[in-house]
Amino acid sequence: MNLGTICDEISYLVNDTTLSSTGMNADRTKAWVREVLFLDIYTLCTDWWFLKDTGTISTVNGTSVYSLPNQVPNAKNLREVYINGSNKMQGISSFEATDLTGSSTGEPTKFWHYDRSSGTDRIKFYPTPDAVYTVNVTGITTPSSLTDDDDEPTLPSEWHYLLVKGGVVKALKHNQDPNLEVEMAEYQAALKRLCAQNNRDDYRTDSWWK
């Protein structure tokens, strides 16, 4: 479901047409849906399996600094970096990086979340690559901002109903509806089921999920 459809579902379930995607209070409904996704859901776990993504960097001989791939544009969200498929690189701090400013070259074994002077997060490899290497960068992708009606939430489709249920809870709370307690209990139970799925081994196959 996209944002517009989610809002329409909430509007229907609480019997309030003003909360639909075209209603006079549509902005309020959309804000509730974003609260459910970004505050209720995303903050429950550090590493959601559905936000995991991997991008690739191809090194250039003599170049140590690279922009992060589009799939993982934010350096703070990096989890693992592998070179040539199976060799895991070691992440280091800025203090450690200061000690590695020499001119040594070779196959990189370490990386540092570099500065943002270029306007985007960058990554620096040590030693400086002496050839073309394939570096796989795995991390947490940037989710959809969920602002336009056509935007789809960065959440598996089978869990989109959680956004509807959470939105209904917020609408009932706003209206001081007596059905709030029942709906809240069902919503919280559904959130627990989502967390339980995130902890299943078949969803956490990579070592950084452990």
Side-chain angles (χ1 to χ4, degrees), residues 10-11 13-19 25 28-29 32 167-180:
I10 294 169
S11 169
L13 290 172
V14 299
N15 193 29
D16 185 347
T17 57
T18 69
L19 296 176
N25 291 321
R28 176 185 298 166
T29 318
W32 285 339
V168 167
V169 166
K170 292 183 182 298
L172 295 179
K173 184 176 181 180
H174 178 78
N175 295 331
Q176 297 182 327
D177 192 291
N179 294 314
L180 173 61

Side-chain angles (χ1 to χ4, degrees), residues 60-80:
V60 176
N61 185 3
T63 300
S64 61
V65 179
Y66 298 85
S67 295
L68 288 167
N70 292 333
Q71 295 89 337
V72 191
N74 195 324
K76 71 178 182 179
N77 291 335
L78 289 183
R79 292 298 186 271
E80 283 193 345

Side-chain angles (χ1 to χ4, degrees), residues 118-129:
S118 65
T120 58
D121 282 4
R122 297 184 292 172
I123 190 171
K124 188 170 186 176
F125 298 131
Y126 298 97
T128 298

